[in-house]
Amino acid sequence: TRLVYEAFVDGAVTALSRYNSMTLSDMLKGSAAKEIVYGTDNGIIGQLLLDTSAIRPGWVVANARTLGGVTGLLSHDVTRNGLQDLVVARDDGELQVFGLDHTGEPVQIFSKSVNECIQGIDIGKVTTSTFDEIVVATYSGKVVSFTTEPAGDSAAQGFPSASGLVERVLEEGVAAVPEEKEKAPEEKKRKGLASLFGLSRKDSAKEKEPKPPKSKFIPGLVLDVDPAAA
């Protein structure tokens, strides 16, 4: 095993993805550079370019809005314009889609918060066979889909736009169960002692029942009785 490439970035890398921003003109020029995009724990997104001899930095998107750390990255042509878009998921629940402008720099074209940490992300055809959907899974177990299917009369046009992504909840998360009200200290103490000695609740209750008074008759004891008194 040998180290082929090494690069230093401004933050601990938490997500990686292959990327392809090449246009038709780049292909005609014979550009052979490979691309990798990365996300860091401090919210930065960046590009690295790899060729046969070296690795060099590309564009970097600073975390100007102090959003959460990056938990997932996906490269996909969401807008169907022939160029790869970049889908970014963050630990504060922010979901973003970036496209490229005419200079090749990323610009945000969609942003939406699901209000909790995004744990997983994928893209594909889920509820329809025509339009792609970005599917995210959150910390509580909620699964949310963002579809590119146009709404209303525009659906007949069939031109999806990332800026018009529609949110659909596919699976609700597990709500937090409220804690049981604090029991009285004496009740908790009694239950703890019963459990310690292997007693059930019924057995514990029996232990607290008053015992019948002991008989004063002593077997085998004969009292001398005065016949006159009788």
Side-chain angles (χ1 to χ4, degrees):
T1 303
R2 66 187 182 92
L3 178 64
V4 179
Y5 297 106
E6 184 177 26
F8 293 92
V9 298
D10 294 329
V13 176
T14 54
L16 277 173
S17 177
R18 296 180 64 181
Y19 189 60
N20 182 14
S21 63
M22 290 177 59
T23 62
L24 180 59
S25 61
D26 294 329
M27 295 178 185
L28 294 175
K29 290 177 184 176
S31 176
K34 305 297 182 183
E35 299 174 61
I36 292 177
V37 288
Y38 63 86
T40 66
D41 62 345
N42 55 8
I44 293 174
I45 309 163
Q47 175 197 45
L48 295 173
L49 303 171
L50 300 83
D51 57 28
T52 56
S53 59
I55 182 171
R56 63 185 188 277
W59 48 256
V60 174
V61 179
N63 190 9
R65 292 166 52 199
T66 62
L67 299 173
V70 178
T71 58
L73 293 170
L74 278 178
S75 171
H76 191 82
D77 184 9
V78 178
T79 54
R80 292 188 182 181
N81 62 357
L83 298 175
Q84 295 289 298
D85 302 305
L86 182 63
V87 184
V88 182
R90 298 180 181 271
D91 62 11
D92 61 353
E94 192 79 8
L95 178 71
Q96 298 170 289
V97 179
F98 289 86
L100 297 179
D101 62 14
H102 66 282
T103 65
E105 293 292 318
V107 290
Q108 180 178 289
I109 55 179
F110 176 79
S111 179
K112 174 73 175 181
S113 177
V114 295
N115 300 317
E116 59 179 304
C117 177
I118 299 176
Q119 300 282 77
I121 182 172
D122 209 340
I123 190 165
K125 294 175 175 60
V126 181
T127 59
T128 70
S129 59
T130 308
F131 297 96
D132 291 324
E133 297 174 54
I134 302 170
V135 181
V136 301
T138 68
Y139 177 78
S140 69
K142 182 167 64 175
V143 180
V144 183
S145 163
F146 294 86
T147 179
T148 59
E149 181 178 5
D153 296 336
S154 61
Q157 299 174 4
F159 296 116
S161 170
S163 60
L165 288 172
V166 179
E167 180 179 355
R168 296 173 178 172
V169 178
L170 303 181
E171 181 69 29
E172 290 288 352
V174 179
V177 180
E179 295 183 1
E180 187 180 358
K181 291 184 178 180
E182 191 72 17
K183 298 285 182 78
E186 288 298 322
E187 174 67 16
K188 292 174 70 176
K189 184 177 178 181
R190 286 196 295 269
K191 288 178 66 178
L193 288 172
S195 175
L196 179 64
F197 291 104
L199 300 174
S200 66
R201 190 175 234 175
K202 186 182 291 186
D203 295 334
S204 179
K206 285 182 179 180
E207 286 293 322
K208 292 193 283 184
E209 291 179 0
K211 296 181 180 179
K214 292 183 180 180
S215 175
K216 295 182 180 179
F217 174 74
I218 303 176
L221 179 62
V222 179
L223 299 177
D224 294 330
V225 180
D226 186 357

